[in-house]
Every structure is written in C-alpha cells, then in structure tokens.
Amino acid sequence: MTKFLPCATSLAGVLVALAACPVLAQSPSALSPAKVTITRDQWGIAHVHGATDADAVFGMVYAQAEDDFNRIETNYLVNLGRLAEAEGEKAIWQDLRQRLFIDPARLQADYARSPAWLKKLMQAWADGLNYYLSTHPMVKPRVITRFEPWMALSFTEGSIGGDIERVPLTQLQAFYEKKPVALSMLEQGLAYREPQGSNGFAIAPSRTEGGHALLMINPHTSFFFRSELQMSSDEGLDAYGAVTWGQFFIYQGFNRHIGWMHTSSGIDNVDEFAETIVPQGDRLFYRYGKELRPVIEKTIAISYRTEDGKLTQRAFTGYSTHHGPIVRTEGDKWIAFALMNKPVPALEQSYLRTKTSDYASFLKVAENKANSSNNTLLADDKGEIAYLHPQFVPIRDDRFDYTKPVDGSDPATDWRGLHDLSSLPQAVNPKGGWAMNTNNWPWTAAGADSPKREAFPRYMDQAGENPRGPHAQIVLSANDRFTLDSLIGAAYDPYLTGFARLVPGLIAAQDRAQDGAPDPALADAVQSLRGWDYKWSLTSTQTSLAVFWGEALWKAVAPAAKEAGLSTIDYMATRATDAQKLAALREAVERLTADFGSIAVPWGEINRYQRNDGAIVQTFDDAKPSTPIPFASSQWGSLAAFGAVRYPGTKRYYGTKGNSFVAAVEFGPKVVARAVSAGGESGDPKSPHFADQVDLYARGDLRPVYFYPEDIKAHAVRSYRPGE
C-alpha cells in the first residue's frame, strides 16, 4: 500500500514528498490526489472526478472522510468485528458474531485472489482514507489508524443491517458463555420497532407525460447512514446517489442511462440448521446422514477496551459445521446459521452495476448472484422498467419449513446450489406500466402483471403484505400521465392505509359498548376519529391520537400475534377484542392528556426532527430546537416514512430513520433528477451542511440534482484536489 507522509498536509506538500521519496513516487497510485477533482455544490455535495475509476474511488472516499470520518471508521469497526476496541466490553458479543463469519485472514486471501481491476479499486480506497488521515492530523481515529485494501471486503453490501443481524446476540452470548441469557423483547419480535426498509417505484414511458421512464428512490434508513455524492471518471464511470459511509460504490442511484433502487426483501435468505452433537473423547462431532463429521473449531480473540482505556483480550473457541457457525442452542441441539458469504463477488456486483447502461447489462452483472437481501427496482433510458428479486437464493426442498430450524442431520435439508435468475420472481416491462416494492411480498409488484405466488417455493417470501403495499398500488394505479412532480407527490401521499383498516374496528367497538357500559372518557376521542380522513399532516390531531392508540394496542397483542403466526397489524385488525381496543384507546388518551394537556394535539407538536450533534447515538431534548415533521411511521402505511419514538426524558417523539436520501429521476435524452437528504451532507455541527436540508425534507420539497458538468460548474462553491 502507498505510504503517505504525515507531514504532507497539502497537495503541494505531497508533491514535495514524492520528489524526496523515490519509493513513494514509484507507487502506481501515489499521484492519485493530482488526478482527482472534488467540486462541492451549494449543498456541500461532492462531485468527484478522476482520470480513472481508481482515481474516482480515491477521491470519493476522501470526500466522505471530509464529511464524516467517524461514521466510516465505525462501519468498519462493526464489519471487521473490532467495535469493542473502541466501545469496550459491551460490544464483545457483536464483535464475536461478526468474527464467526468474517475472518480477516480469509479476507486477505480473498483480496490476493481478486481480479486486478478490483484490487486496484480496493487499493485506491485504502489510499484515499490513509491520505485523508495523513493530511488531517487533527482527526484522531478511535481504532483504525491505517486502512488496508482487503478491509473493503468486510463491507460489500450497502443495506442498513445485514443478514448477520438476524443472529440474536443474547443467545450467542448464552451459548459461548454457557449460561442462560433471556431474549430481549426486540429479539422476540414483541417490541414495537420502526420497519427498516424502503419504497421503490418504476414507471414505464406508457404512463408518463413526457414518454420517458421514471424512478422513485426512497430508502427508509437512518437519516445519517449514507452520504450523497457523484463519482465519475474518464473510463466511463458516472454515477450519482447514496453511498453507505465508507463504501466505494453508489448503493442507490443512477447514471446517464439507468437507475437502481434497492428495497429490503422478505425472502428467506438465511437458514438455521439444528445439529446433533456427538462428543467422542475430547472431540466434538455432528451427525450428518449416516456419518459423523468433526465440528470445526477455531480460536477467536476479541480485543476490547477496558474502563481505564487499556486494551485486553478475551478468547473464544468458535464452532461451526458445513452449514455455518454455531450461534445458539435449542433444546439439546446446536443451531448453525447459514448465510451468503461471498465478499469478492458481492463487491464486484455492487460496483459493476453502477456502470451498467440498461436492463440487459444490469442483469448480466446480477449473474454474480451475490445480492442476498435486496429487491431491485430499475428504470432506464430505453424505457425499460423492472422489479427483480434478490439473486442469491439457495435451492431448498420445499417440504421443509425453513422459517424454523431444520434438521441438520438430514442431507435433504441442505442447500442445493443457487436458483437461476430466470426462476426467480420478477416483473420486467409489465403491461400495466409500473412496478414497485415496499418491503412487501413480490406478488403485487406490478398489479395484474405481478409474479404468481403459486408458481414459486414458499421460501421466496416470508414478509407478506404490509400497509404500504396497498397504498403504493392505489397511488400508482391512479395516474397514467406521471411527471417528476406527480411521482414525488405520489411518494408523499399522506393516506394511512393501516389506520384506514384499524380505526373502523375501534369505532365499532365503542358503538357496541354504548349498549352496555360505555366509557364517557373515550367518547370525545372516538368522535374525533369518526371524522378523520386517515391522512397525516402537521395540524392533524387525529394522527396523534391514532398513533398513540396504535402503539398501545400493538404492545398489548404482539405476544398473541406471534403465537398465532400472524403479523401484529393483521392480528390487530382481525383478532384484537373490543376490550383490548378500548383499553388501548384509554391508554392513549391518558398519555396525551398527561404529556400534552389534551387529546387534541397537532401531530407536528409531537413528531419532530432534531440533530444536536454529530454523535452516532444522539441524545434528544425537548428543551432544544427541533423541526415539526408531518409524516408518520411506515408501520401505519405512510409511504413517506418517519420513524419517531419517545426517548428517556422526552415527551415529544424524535425521528432517526425513515425517508433519508430520496430521489426522483427521469430518463429522457438527458437525465433530470431531484433529491433531498434528511441529514445534510456533513456530520460536523459547525458545517453549513449539517442541517441545511431539513426544511426541504419536512416539506417533501426535493431540490434539483446537478449531474452534468455544466450544471455542476454553474452551482459550484468550491473545486479542489484532495489535500488542498
């Protein structure tokens, strides 16, 4: 790797250092700073251009580091299993989970075997981060003072929360400490949790005013999880969109010809295998068919920081079978966890799709079959649109229920290779002219042109429908002359399908109670909800009441819903009793009255955006300034999602996830796009770009995207090379 000199604090200093250091000057990427231009527009967004793709990678990760190095380093501490080196003993189990699957020695070997073009990009990535640190000595990394190119292989997929997060940390700890640890409410699926997902809409030319395909990019993640930027090169790269901090590819975005939007899928992309362990002497074996196979053992040393700031280690013996690492027990069985672990093909696929030009070339890249958890919505300038299922889909015997641990001793339960792409659910150029996904099942992805559920194995979907699915179908079916503006309007439609389904049942429960012993304290609340149009707004008092009621009912019925095998919202709609509905309303009335003095509280008084500092985990304060937000949780059917909750010491709700980077793109002779990033471009509270987009965000007012060189030049605030 290139060794940059700590004393080189400017481009001029670097060039002097190069002249004085022949070894550095001979490195093929040592002159990358001189071949990169970073142009910042009025929103602080970096438009990075390099002579080669590698130069563009060097510059874009340098620009990311300028905006929020802390989030880059933290992402790699998480993905390398080194978080405890910064955050102490509390992070040991998260690190152990990661290290059971991610072995630095294997990643280094994978790097050595990588194709030359990918190695060059990984080298440039490491050089860009190291150059940033060398030219910013005031920045003090918590742990990683030097990035190695192989580290890029630890974080190859841009979703928020990878497949590995399905392993419950409490049960991992219980297994490796050999003592019981109770599942948390969240791990049991009993605590209310804002869905982490996305919406994607693709509109064919037949349904647009201008005769061009349109794409709505609407991820629902942490507001501060991704950077917005553009990266281009003289080798044909020219992509714009959202980049997960520290990665070197546009995760959700577009180029001059095609756009791609990923939504978290409900596919079964991980499985658990119940292993029968047979001790023999000092060795452990597991049963597989008629044979006994040795359990694979490896020593994993987790470093962690003690309270006095020193580093120490804790060693574990990690166990695995051919199915995957052992992560917990169930009864007398050890549970092995199987997931996709293909870092090189995954990184290739993530990067190469940004250079595709149409559906055919995108599908060719997808043949890597290294996307395990993302559905994709596509649109291109040929007028093609598509919904695609994840491409890493193991073939399984559909006789078995893979939603639960399957018998690992039965060879029939094993994965049997991967599905061909042609055998997966998809909707390509549907006759109806639109395709969508809201993290719901694929069976409604394109209306009447959707893939048919009965044609596919059960494991193709475990999510089912959600309230955003019917909402998306309503808004997409209602317009056959979409423009960029009306597509944005559809994505911000305020109707709450979840409450449109649930509230009539509450009103009916109160009406039935009138014949017995009605509760007069609830009469005003029910009367208010009778006249509601089920739309969120800043001034809507019914939204406040419905949200408080919905959360109370959710908490009351979630255990029974899980026991019944139903989604909580389905259980609320079909099985919750009148008594449960009215008790939840009473709880909502009491909370609103106690916290805000009335049940008639405008939603904007409760639902707020606040960013006090650049901390990854923020502390919220009702006494500090905040911005009212009209959107509601996606759980209730809001397409424009705002996941807000109360925090210790607050009465107001503060959002940290939901609509984050949002973009609408039209693929005409020239690409036209509009976008907004909730968190702004910088993690530095002193930066003018720390909170300069929040008012636009709150209004759903997407700003123009500057994509072509002439537009970038016209709106440039600063243009410079890394190190200047």
Side-chain angles (χ1 to χ4, degrees):
M1 175 183 289
T2 302
K3 295 184 178 180
F4 293 109
L5 302 184
C7 60
T9 58
S10 68
L11 180 61
V14 170
L15 296 176
V16 169
L18 288 172
C21 182
V23 174
L24 185 62
Q26 291 170 6
S27 174
S29 59
L31 283 174
S32 289
K35 296 184 285 184
V36 176
T37 302
I38 301 172
T39 302
R40 298 278 184 173
D41 66 24
Q42 68 200 72
W43 301 101
I45 293 163
H47 304 263
V48 180
H49 185 79
T52 66
D53 285 7
D55 294 324
V57 165
F58 180 104
M60 67 87 80
V61 78
Y62 178 95
Q64 285 184 65
E66 288 183 302
D67 292 332
D68 205 328
F69 176 79
N70 180 36
R71 290 182 187 275
I72 293 174
E73 185 189 15
T74 298
N75 277 345
Y76 282 91
L77 292 178
V78 169
N79 285 282
L80 290 166
R82 298 180 62 183
L83 189 62
E85 294 179 44
E87 300 190 356
E89 199 167 5
K90 66 182 181 180
I92 282 177
W93 302 109
Q94 185 174 346
D95 281 355
L96 178 61
R97 179 176 67 182
Q98 197 72 16
R99 294 281 296 282
L100 284 169
F101 295 88
I102 301 298
D103 183 347
R106 181 194 159 183
L107 294 184
Q108 291 172 47
D110 285 341
Y111 171 77
R113 292 190 292 265
S114 295
W117 70 266
L118 187 61
K119 274 186 177 179
K120 188 179 295 185
L121 299 186
M122 289 188 276
Q123 179 74 55
W125 169 84
D127 285 351
L129 288 170
N130 292 329
Y131 184 59
Y132 170 79
L133 290 175
S134 74
T135 55
H136 293 76
M138 72 294 295
V139 174
K140 305 298 182 185
R142 292 194 291 169
V143 173
I144 305 176
T145 57
R146 182 177 182 76
F147 289 83
E148 301 288 341
W150 60 267
M151 293 178 177
L153 290 170
S154 71
F155 192 24
T156 58
E157 204 282 320
S159 292
I160 183 165
D163 299 341
I164 199 171
E165 292 193 3
R166 299 195 189 188
V167 174
L169 290 178
T170 57
Q171 301 314 287
L172 184 80
Q173 180 181 358
F175 177 81
Y176 283 99
E177 282 200 323
K178 297 180 174 61
K179 65 180 183 182
V181 181
L183 278 164
S184 69
M185 293 290 285
L186 200 60
E187 289 172 332
Q188 294 178 67
L190 300 180
Y192 175 83
R193 178 180 182 180
E194 173 66 17
Q196 294 184 156
S198 304
N199 302 328
F201 303 158
I203 313 295
S206 62
R207 294 184 72 96
T208 67
E209 184 71 35
H212 308 134
L214 302 175
L215 182 67
M216 171 54 66
I217 298 172
N218 183 197
H220 295 166
T221 66
S222 163
F223 299 146
F224 319 117
F225 188 66
R226 297 194 178 111
S227 167
E228 179 181 349
L229 59 79
Q230 181 178 10
M231 55 189 302
S232 63
S233 78
D234 295 335
E235 294 182 335
L237 175 68
D238 195 0
Y240 186 106
V243 178
T244 306
W245 290 108
Q247 294 183 326
F248 62 74
F249 53 86
I250 302 292
Y251 176 65
Q252 290 160 325
F254 59 92
N255 59 34
R256 292 177 183 234
H257 302 289
I258 189 170
W260 55 96
M261 168 60 204
H262 301 303
T263 62
S264 298
S265 179
I267 194 171
D268 176 9
N269 58 343
V270 301
D271 285 320
E272 291 186 320
F273 292 84
E275 310 287 19
T276 301
I277 303 300
V278 181
Q280 290 190 354
D282 60 352
R283 296 290 308 277
L284 293 173
F285 296 83
Y286 66 101
R287 194 171 301 283
Y288 184 68
K290 296 180 180 180
E291 63 179 301
L292 290 179
R293 293 185 173 185
V295 173
I296 302 164
E297 301 183 18
K298 68 175 181 179
T299 300
I300 301 173
I302 304 295
S303 297
Y304 66 95
R305 195 164 299 279
T306 60
E307 291 185 1
D308 62 3
K310 296 179 181 178
L311 278 180
T312 188
Q313 281 193 340
R314 187 169 173 184
F316 298 89
T317 299
Y319 301 100
S320 61
T321 70
H322 74 282
H323 294 121
I326 304 298
V327 299
R328 64 184 183 91
T329 60
E330 187 168 298
D332 62 351
K333 305 293 185 182
W334 286 16
I335 305 300
F337 197 86
L339 50 66
M340 185 189 82
N341 195 352
K342 301 169 60 176
V344 174
L347 189 54
E348 287 181 308
Q349 185 168 342
S350 292
Y351 180 80
L352 288 175
R353 65 185 169 219
T354 71
K355 297 190 73 172
T356 58
S357 59
D358 55 13
Y359 168 73
S361 58
F362 195 97
L363 205 64
K364 185 175 181 180
V365 171
E367 286 289 353
N368 275 34
K369 297 182 181 178
N371 163 26
S372 68
S373 61
N374 290 306
N375 309 312
T376 305
L377 279 302
L378 293 179
D380 67 28
D381 62 0
K382 291 181 178 179
E384 300 168 302
I385 66 168
Y387 163 86
L388 301 178
H389 220 45
Q391 293 88 52
F392 178 89
V393 184
I395 299 170
R396 307 164 175 93
D397 189 329
D398 211 28
R399 294 176 300 160
F400 300 103
D401 181 4
Y402 286 89
T403 65
K404 302 172 183 177
V406 294
D407 183 3
S409 69
D410 184 352
T413 64
D414 269 10
W415 289 356
R416 305 290 185 184
L418 299 178
H419 275 270
D420 293 332
L421 301 193
S422 61
S423 68
L424 301 176
Q426 61 182 6
V428 181
N429 297 322
K431 294 178 182 178
W434 58 262
M436 67 86 182
N437 186 257
T438 65
N439 314 119
N440 60 333
W441 56 19
W443 321 129
T444 53
D449 306 309
S450 302
K452 306 306 178 188
R453 184 178 186 178
E454 58 273 15
F456 298 94
R458 290 179 295 168
Y459 52 76
M460 288 296 178
D461 179 74
Q462 294 182 342
E465 189 55 278
N466 64 38
R468 283 174 288 137
H471 192 179
Q473 293 176 64
I474 290 170
V475 298
L476 294 176
S477 300
N479 192 340
D480 60 4
R481 287 292 179 268
F482 274 105
T483 64
L484 214 52
D485 285 339
S486 61
L487 180 60
I488 294 168
Y492 284 86
D493 184 83
Y495 191 60
L496 296 172
T497 49
F499 286 129
R501 182 185 182 196
L502 295 173
V503 168
L506 171 63
I507 294 172
Q510 173 71 358
D511 289 345
R512 285 188 287 268
Q514 298 288 353
D515 298 330
D519 185 342
L522 304 184
D524 289 345
V526 170
Q527 188 59 34
S528 174
L529 291 172
R530 282 185 197 275
W532 188 28
D533 60 5
Y534 305 118
K535 294 181 179 180
W536 50 251
S537 72
L538 289 176
T539 59
S540 171
T541 59
Q542 292 99 331
T543 303
S544 304
L545 183 58
V547 168
F548 278 41
W549 169 71
E551 290 179 356
L553 185 58
W554 185 289
K555 179 177 63 177
V557 305
K562 184 175 183 182
E563 182 69 23
L566 294 174
S567 72
T568 303
I569 201 160
D570 281 346
Y571 192 97
M572 291 165 70
T574 62
R575 299 197 187 181
T577 66
D578 286 1
Q580 288 173 320
K581 294 171 186 176
L582 294 174
L585 183 60
R586 188 174 299 108
E587 182 178 333
V589 167
E590 290 171 355
R591 272 187 54 204
L592 279 166
T593 303
D595 288 351
F596 299 98
S598 167
I599 66 167
V601 186
W603 181 231
E605 287 296 314
I606 297 172
N607 201 49
R608 314 289 285 196
Y609 174 101
Q610 186 179 80
R611 195 179 190 193
N612 297 319
D613 52 46
I616 291 176
V617 179
Q618 185 171 295
T619 299
F620 295 95
D621 189 340
D622 284 343
K624 292 183 178 179
S626 60
T627 301
I629 303 294
F631 326 137
S633 167
S634 65
Q635 198 73 275
W636 311 121
S638 182
L639 293 173
F642 188 77
V645 297
R646 286 185 302 173
Y647 288 83
T650 75
K651 295 178 180 178
R652 285 173 158 172
Y653 282 28
Y654 295 97
T656 60
K657 64 187 67 169
N659 274 24
S660 46
F661 167 74
V662 184
V665 192
E666 180 175 12
F667 293 94
K670 293 185 69 174
V671 172
V672 178
R674 291 168 59 188
V676 69
S677 289
E681 192 59 22
S682 175
D684 182 359
K686 298 176 183 177
S687 168
H689 306 299
F690 181 71
D692 57 341
Q693 297 186 54
V694 66
D695 290 336
L696 295 177
Y697 171 82
R699 298 195 302 268
D701 183 8
L702 278 59
R703 50 175 174 70
V705 166
Y706 309 127
F707 182 72
Y708 292 97
E710 59 270 23
D711 297 323
I712 298 168
K713 183 178 180 181
H715 295 90
V717 173
R718 182 187 175 210
S719 189
Y720 59 100
R721 293 188 175 93
E724 290 183 341

